[in-house]
Amino acid sequence: MNRKTCLLFFLLPFFLLTAVAAQSKTENVILITLDGARTQEIFGGLDLEILKAKTTRGKIEDTELYKKYWAATPEERRSKLMPFFWNTLMKEHGSIAGNRSLGSAVMTTNKMWFSYPGYSEILTGQAHDDVIKSNDKKRNPYPSVLEFLKHKLKLNKTQVALFGSWDVFNWIGEHEEGAITINAGHEPYDLINTPEIRVLSQLQNERLSPWGGVRFDYFTVKLALAHLQKFKPRVLHLALGETDDWAHEGAYAHVLSALERNDRQLKELWDYLQNTPKYKGKTSILITVDHGRGKTIKDWTDHGERVPEAQYIWMAFISPDSSLRGEWKNAETVYQNQAAATLCRWLKFDYSENNAQAGKSIAAVTNHQ
Ligand SMILES: [Zn+2]
């Protein structure tokens, strides 16, 4: 080897590293979760079997839900339900794994198949079935990826935020109490003192949802957007909840309405990001779910250990550092425990520093092509 070749070999790793770093555009990450939103509706829209079971009188074709959401193919049906997600986000900006009819699956590694274990797996990168086995308001024994990123990016408390519809996020989202900004459940938000925010903070406790610990997603989204505008966080978890609570009640029309409203809320968030230089072209978004639920008319309302179908979930990726578009096909199975490392990889951090047992980042969406 002559001197020049030798020098080249010596410098090559350096060039490769800077090339990867230069191509990585992500400066902010947003995690969005839709509690217990089934793969069945996400990929197929209205489930006709459930509608049939719910229609006790008259023809199913005459029902409002049929007229509003039915179409011949799953692609058409889901576009009627979530037009922004399917026609804009997934066509032009991102990709989604988890459609098993195309040979792509996303699964939890925890065997609990309910909320706290699912969110903890997403936020810590690991299942702990021996320790996390209830939805009780107990402090997460493990540090979350939100806390890890706060430390790595040297952020202050307002720049790492979790806005959740479910109050238990106050316990799931951080291991060290008070480390990040968490606003969850019917909790007033007092970091911004404007008439609009004061009204929202009060109204959520006047216009109560039917569930003690879960507020309507509208409030969660509005408060999160206000926080985004004022504090420009670099790490945000927006945790929506209505999809799960309506399903537990068997209120299928409300489940579909929640998904449709969540789709509009996604558009509102997306439009804000596109009109804000700090975020436009520099923000990676991961959208996923804590657990699935049953697939039959008997168990679609339910999830948990007795409903194995609930281990199948989905995960979507919108990133300036991923060129994948549309649905994944014939792909390796993705696991819920990979979400944390993927968020970190977009920001060029190695999550195994925080947790060596965590799932690895998903190469297909972090390759900086
Ligand atoms: Zn849940």
Side-chain angles (χ1 to χ4, degrees):
M1 195 186 288
N2 65 34
R3 252 186 84 193
K4 269 186 185 161
T5 336
C6 179
L7 191 68
L8 190 67
F9 266 87
F10 184 70
L11 289 175
L12 196 60
F14 174 75
F15 285 134
L16 285 175
L17 270 177
T18 44
V20 168
Q23 282 169 17
S24 174
K25 297 183 184 126
T26 302
E27 291 175 17
N28 319 286
V29 289
I30 299 180
L31 167 68
I32 302 172
T33 46
L34 309 184
D35 201 303
R38 300 196 309 164
T39 55
Q40 284 80 2
E41 278 78 24
I42 293 291
F43 294 107
L46 171 69
D47 184 330
L48 199 62
E49 295 309 310
I50 297 175
L51 183 59
K52 278 181 192 162
K54 290 259 160 210
T55 308
T56 48
R57 56 166 64 185
K59 277 196 281 182
I60 180 171
E61 290 82 2
D62 295 333
T63 61
E64 259 182 59
L65 290 187
Y66 186 94
K67 288 183 203 159
K68 196 168 180 194
Y69 298 117
W70 182 252
T73 67
E75 291 80 13
E76 288 172 274
R77 290 197 295 277
R78 70 197 187 194
S79 287
K80 286 189 166 189
L81 189 61
M82 305 183 76
F84 173 71
F85 181 81
W86 282 109
N87 301 340
T88 301
L89 272 190
M90 289 302 107
K91 275 212 177 98
E92 295 167 18
H93 306 287
S95 70
I96 180 166
N99 189 343
R100 281 169 281 159
S101 72
L102 300 178
S104 167
V106 184
M107 300 176 76
T108 67
T109 70
N110 76 75
K111 300 279 181 268
M112 298 288 153
W113 312 326
F114 61 87
S115 289
Y116 197 139
Y119 290 119
S120 185
E121 183 169 339
I122 293 168
L123 289 170
T124 69
Q126 192 181 357
H128 292 279
D129 288 358
D130 47 339
V131 180
I132 296 172
K133 39 192 170 188
S134 84
N135 281 340
D136 294 349
K137 291 174 178 170
K138 286 188 187 154
R139 178 73 35 216
N140 198 328
Y142 311 98
S144 73
V145 64
L146 308 175
E147 293 170 289
F148 175 70
L149 286 175
K150 182 196 175 199
H151 171 70
K152 295 303 280 189
L153 293 165
K154 301 186 172 58
L155 301 176
N156 68 41
K157 194 176 158 171
T158 59
Q159 293 170 301
V160 183
L162 190 167
F163 283 78
S165 295
W166 187 34
D167 59 1
V168 186
F169 275 107
N170 271 308
W171 286 265
I172 306 173
E174 59 190 8
H175 170 63
E176 183 199 332
E177 192 177 344
I180 62 170
T181 299
I182 300 185
N183 179 276
H186 294 88
E187 184 181 353
Y189 173 77
D190 55 12
L191 293 178
I192 300 174
N193 192 8
T194 62
E196 189 202 352
I197 295 302
R198 281 199 302 275
V199 166
L200 278 172
S201 265
Q202 287 165 5
L203 198 58
Q204 63 178 347
N205 280 297
E206 296 297 329
R207 184 68 186 86
L208 282 175
S209 76
W211 323 289
V214 183
R215 69 181 161 200
F216 287 125
D217 290 335
Y218 179 88
F219 296 106
T220 308
V221 171
K222 289 293 180 194
L223 295 177
L225 279 172
H227 188 89
L228 262 182
Q229 286 165 19
K230 166 107 182 181
F231 297 104
K232 305 283 190 300
R234 292 184 64 189
V235 180
L236 173 73
H237 179 185
L238 178 63
L240 304 177
E242 281 187 49
T243 40
D244 185 73
D245 291 277
W246 290 123
H248 280 298
E249 295 191 9
Y252 196 53
H254 283 310
V255 172
L256 298 177
S257 153
L259 283 167
E260 196 182 348
R261 284 178 286 117
N262 288 163
D263 185 65
R264 285 204 295 273
Q265 290 154 350
L266 277 178
K267 181 174 189 311
E268 197 178 348
L269 171 65
W270 179 257
D271 288 345
Y272 170 73
L273 299 176
Q274 296 316 294
N275 289 313
T276 309
K278 189 184 173 0
Y279 292 112
K280 184 181 165 65
K282 302 170 190 165
T283 304
S284 289
I285 305 174
L286 191 150
I287 315 177
T288 190
V289 60
D290 51 341
H291 54 76
R293 33 190 3 106
K295 65 176 170 184
T296 71
I297 57 164
K298 284 205 174 69
D299 65 5
W300 71 272
T301 57
D302 208 3
H303 55 88
E305 274 173 299
R306 288 165 296 110
V307 188
E309 174 71 11
Q311 68 192 296
Y312 291 101
I313 57 172
W314 50 274
M315 209 178 274
F317 314 90
I318 299 123
S319 168
D321 295 310
S322 169
S323 53
L324 283 185
R325 297 291 176 266
E327 291 180 275
W328 290 33
K329 297 183 184 80
N330 302 318
E332 249 179 75
T333 297
V334 167
Y335 293 95
Q336 190 171 45
N337 67 8
Q338 297 182 272
T342 302
L343 291 166
C344 290
R345 184 73 190 89
W346 275 328
L347 289 164
K348 302 186 282 288
F349 296 123
D350 178 358
Y351 187 65
S352 66
E353 268 180 49
N354 189 46
N355 180 355
Q357 264 80 54
K360 301 294 169 230
S361 63
I362 301 163
V365 293
T366 54
N367 51 6
H368 308 304
Q369 287 164 340

